[in-house]
């Protein structure tokens, strides 16, 4: 996780917990499923259609690039 207030690094678990509260459904539900699988609470849970995963990845890349542009940082994700 990278905080927008200042640089902050977190674990995958912390990043997932943080992200659940920030993104809208159905993406927060998708993150919750991934977090449950990561922590061993639900192994083998179906994530749904690949299209939803692709849309989520596209959504996150757009959000990250927008934030980087607002902070005028020289990074762009593709």
């Amino acid at each position: 996780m990278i905080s927008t207030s200042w640089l902050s690094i977190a674990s995958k678990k912390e990043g997932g917990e943080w992200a659940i509260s920030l993104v809208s459904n159905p993406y927060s539900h998708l993150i919750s499923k991934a977090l449950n699988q990561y922590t061993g609470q639900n192994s083998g849970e179906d994530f749904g259609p690949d299209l939803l995963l692709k849309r989520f990845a596209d959504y996150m890349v757009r959000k990250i690039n927008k934030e980087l542009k607002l902070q005028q940082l020289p990074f762009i994700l593709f």
Side-chain angles (χ1 to χ4, degrees):
M1 170 181 87
I2 298 178
S3 173
T4 57
S5 59
W6 256 128
L7 187 61
S8 174
I9 307 293
S11 69
K12 289 179 186 177
K13 182 178 179 284
E14 291 169 327
E17 291 166 345
W18 171 80
I20 288 170
S21 67
L22 294 178
V23 300
S24 60
N25 271 324
Y27 304 134
S28 62
H29 186 63
L30 190 63
I31 295 168
S32 181
K33 284 182 174 184
L35 187 57
N36 286 341
Q37 187 164 356
Y38 179 76
T39 60
Q41 295 176 12
N42 254 343
S43 59
E45 187 170 354
D46 183 21
F47 285 93
D50 289 342
L51 181 58
L52 180 60
L53 294 172
K54 178 164 177 14
R55 284 183 182 164
F56 173 66
D58 292 342
Y59 167 80
M60 289 309 303
V61 167
R62 282 192 313 274
K63 295 285 277 183
I64 291 167
N65 283 335
K66 181 179 178 183
E67 186 64 33
L68 291 174
K69 187 175 180 179
L70 289 174
Q71 293 183 19
Q72 298 181 353
L73 297 176
F75 305 107
I76 295 179
L77 295 178
F78 297 96

